[in-house]
Amino acid sequence: MSKLVSIIIPVFNVEKHIRKSLNSILNQTFNVNDVEVIMVDDCSTDGSGKIIDEYSKKYDNFKAVHLDENSGAAGKPRNIGLEEASCDFVMFLDSDDFFVENAIEVLYNQINGNAELDIVLGGYQNIHGDNKQIVLPFKNSDESYFEDTTNCIDLVKINPAISAKIFRTSFLVENNIKFPEGIPGQDLVFFLDAFFNAKNVLSLNNFIVYNRILRFDDNDKSISLNVTSKYILGLIEAYNLTLDVCMNNHVNKNLIKLILLSHLQFFTNQILKDSLSLDELSSIFNSSNFENFKKS
């Protein structure tokens, strides 16, 4: 029997969190037998690989894939998951986050009920200990429907958070939309490429899709919180690729400026975290990637 929704999960050194992520799929209001779960292990050095093997042996619709070499970011595991996906619709989940119990049901019913929709998205909740912060796409309406996505000024208000969205698989394949590999910020490039190519997009402005766990512990830190020179250089490369996506889709230059300005604040905040030496900062700002970005 064919499944309805593919869930792609990149996995790397998350043995403390991966069970909660996978169990959030098992505990959905959506029939779990209609879901295909593709878990792609990026050469974890802890027990993550054994855990996903355990789930794949226990559940026929859970598939564990193990890479031969670490790719350094979530892009390659997600692309491999897309190649393996067999369902009409696809969602993503980071292996340290977890879905709300009706996430799949709500997003699937919306996108499956309208053949013109290529993307449906919602909000999410940041969690750090007892602190919680809800992040919604828009605050002035219950829903927002986008038909002309190429030069949509509201685009800059949408967070690229990839786990808050469902995509029509055929749309991604036909437009050759993939994640850049080996760099952070690849979800931004992927989402913009998808958004600009979509026929129609629906935003559910009051619906929380998943809970995003912020990890600050030095021994258990989220990638976006572990600021290194390699990470910053990867962000710059992602911004250059973002420019390419915008130019290839003939996006208005004023909108491009707004898109980049909205993310440059994040970039600046990362630079100012005092985790980089002056020599590392000098190397970053003298790199060819930064020079290309500055010229653009």
Side-chain angles (χ1 to χ4, degrees), residues 101-154:
E101 65 179 9
N102 60 340
I104 301 174
E105 179 184 10
V106 169
L107 294 187
Y108 172 80
N109 286 343
Q110 290 288 345
I111 197 167
N112 187 55
N114 185 341
E116 296 299 311
L117 281 173
D118 289 321
I119 306 170
V120 176
L121 60 97
Y124 62 95
Q125 180 171 236
N126 285 325
I127 299 178
H128 177 226
D130 294 330
N131 297 318
K132 298 180 180 180
Q133 176 200 23
I134 291 176
V135 181
L136 297 173
F138 303 96
K139 298 179 180 179
N140 297 326
S141 62
D142 291 337
E143 294 183 358
S144 301
Y145 199 94
F146 302 96
E147 294 177 319
D148 179 15
T149 58
T150 304
N151 286 300
C152 172
I153 194 72
D154 286 331

Side-chain angles (χ1 to χ4, degrees), residues 33-50:
N33 294 319
D34 289 332
V35 175
E36 166 188 70
V37 183
I38 305 167
M39 309 165 289
V40 184
D41 179 34
D42 202 5
C43 293
S44 295
T45 57
D46 64 359
S48 300
K50 291 181 180 179

Side-chain angles (χ1 to χ4, degrees), residues 87-89 118 167-176:
C87 300
D88 289 340
F89 306 102
D118 289 321
F167 301 86
R168 192 175 296 275
T169 308
S170 59
F171 153 72
L172 296 177
V173 172
E174 289 165 8
N175 290 281
N176 194 32

Side-chain angles (χ1 to χ4, degrees), residues 156-179:
V156 296
K157 301 176 185 177
I158 299 177
N159 192 292
I162 208 71
S163 299
K165 301 167 177 64
I166 189 169
F167 301 86
R168 192 175 296 275
T169 308
S170 59
F171 153 72
L172 296 177
V173 172
E174 289 165 8
N175 290 281
N176 194 32
I177 298 170
K178 297 180 180 179
F179 291 90

Side-chain angles (χ1 to χ4, degrees), residues 33 50 74 96 108 145 157 181 214-215 218 250:
N33 294 319
K50 291 181 180 179
D96 52 355
Y108 172 80
Y145 199 94
K157 301 176 185 177
E181 298 183 1
L214 301 179
R215 297 182 283 127
D218 286 341
H250 310 291

Side-chain angles (χ1 to χ4, degrees), residues 72-73 180 182-187 189 223 230-238:
I183 60 171
Q186 26 78 37
D187 51 351
V189 182
I223 279 186
K230 180 180 179 182
Y231 170 78
I232 294 296
L233 285 168
L235 276 184
I236 295 169
E237 184 174 347

